[in-house]
Amino acid sequence: KNALYALNGLLSAEGSPEKTKDRGLHKLTISYSSKEKEMFKKILLEAKAFDLIKDRGDRFVIEGWINCYQFFKLFFSNDVTPFNLHKERLNKALSGFLEHSFTKTMEKYLKILNKKEHMNTNEIIAETNHLGNSIRKLLRKRQYLKFVNSLGRGINRNPIIFSITMEGKEFLSITKNIREVYNERCKFREDKKPEIYS
């Protein structure tokens, strides 16, 4: 936890969340000088975040939705808010993650699956009004495997049964925490000029 506090200091001083217009958070970067690199690397190792990092020569980069999620999970599962010493970066990082198309799709389906222990395709169709084929293809994609279990082949009398995994339940808990912090610390007041307040 102390290493996460130190890493949070680096994020607030040298970190940068980068968003795309249509997909939300794209990557997180931590810039460093040649003198700082080994110290930053040591902090990332102690915070158990170094496996999520790519070294670009003048900065450490966390890219890809799953790596950004794992990075946020490290912080929020330890009750530490990343970027909390820099209001603008905090807003950009949290809003970027929550607005990401994959985050929104994951939340939508995992909230449905979390209602019951098991759900078949027809039950999910009733909740979403989506076509069965698109639901089956989506929830059986590789990036969903950690979050959704599926049993059955979906043919004849062998329907596909979906259920949320423990990782899926944890995802819902983490995103709930992220949204609460975002609403409390970042969301603009509607009755005033937009501002980020602590």
Side-chain angles (χ1 to χ4, degrees):
K1 195 162 185 176
N2 286 337
L4 286 172
Y5 284 126
L7 179 52
N8 184 43
L10 297 186
L11 291 173
S12 298
E14 305 294 343
S16 176
E18 296 182 22
K19 293 167 68 172
T20 59
K21 286 182 180 178
D22 57 337
R23 285 184 62 86
L25 187 66
H26 173 53
K27 62 184 175 183
L28 302 165
T29 64
I30 304 171
S31 300
Y32 59 77
S33 68
S34 57
K35 292 179 181 177
E36 295 168 328
K37 182 176 181 178
E38 285 308 310
M39 179 186 72
F40 286 14
K41 182 177 178 181
K42 184 179 178 184
I43 291 170
L44 286 161
L45 284 165
E46 288 181 4
K48 310 227 182 295
F50 194 73
D51 288 346
L52 306 173
I53 301 287
K54 290 181 180 175
D55 188 350
R56 297 292 192 218
D58 63 345
R59 69 195 63 201
F60 293 120
V61 179
I62 302 144
E63 57 189 352
W65 182 89
I66 192 67
N67 288 330
C68 289
Y69 166 65
Q70 293 292 346
F71 192 71
F72 283 123
K73 180 180 166 183
L74 269 175
F75 281 90
F76 282 92
S77 60
N78 284 283
D79 297 318
V80 181
T81 302
F83 295 101
N84 72 345
L85 302 174
H86 194 291
K87 297 173 186 177
E88 185 181 344
R89 291 173 187 167
L90 173 67
N91 180 27
K92 200 171 179 181
L94 300 191
S95 66
F97 182 76
L98 293 172
E99 291 165 7
H100 195 287
S101 57
F102 194 60
T103 305
K104 291 196 281 191
T105 303
M106 284 279 288
E107 277 192 297
K108 174 182 176 179
Y109 283 99
L110 292 183
K111 282 178 179 176
I112 290 168
L113 291 172
N114 202 35
K115 292 178 183 178
K116 291 176 69 176
E117 190 173 343
H118 299 98
M119 293 184 84
N120 63 37
T121 308
N122 289 337
E123 290 173 309
I124 301 172
I125 290 170
E127 293 271 359
T128 62
N129 293 322
H130 289 170
L131 294 174
N133 281 341
S134 67
I135 289 171
R136 283 190 288 271
K137 284 179 183 175
L138 180 76
L139 294 180
R140 298 182 95 178
K141 283 185 176 178
R142 182 176 54 83
Q143 58 263 46
Y144 284 85
L145 292 178
K146 290 176 73 170
F147 306 96
V148 177
N149 279 327
S150 63
L151 293 171
R153 298 174 63 192
I155 53 175
N156 300 329
R157 296 184 180 179
N158 187 13
I160 300 174
I161 304 297
F162 294 101
S163 61
I164 188 170
T165 65
M166 289 306 296
E167 184 78 33
K169 289 177 184 288
E170 192 169 18
F171 167 83
L172 290 178
S173 175
I174 296 294
T175 51
K176 182 184 175 194
N177 291 344
I178 292 173
R179 185 164 278 105
E180 285 172 356
V181 171
Y182 174 71
N183 288 338
E184 179 186 323
R185 304 209 35 204
C186 302
K187 207 168 183 183
F188 295 145
R189 290 179 177 171
E190 293 176 5
D191 59 337
K192 290 188 174 184
K193 242 172 137 181
E195 63 177 1
I196 302 169
Y197 45 86
S198 55

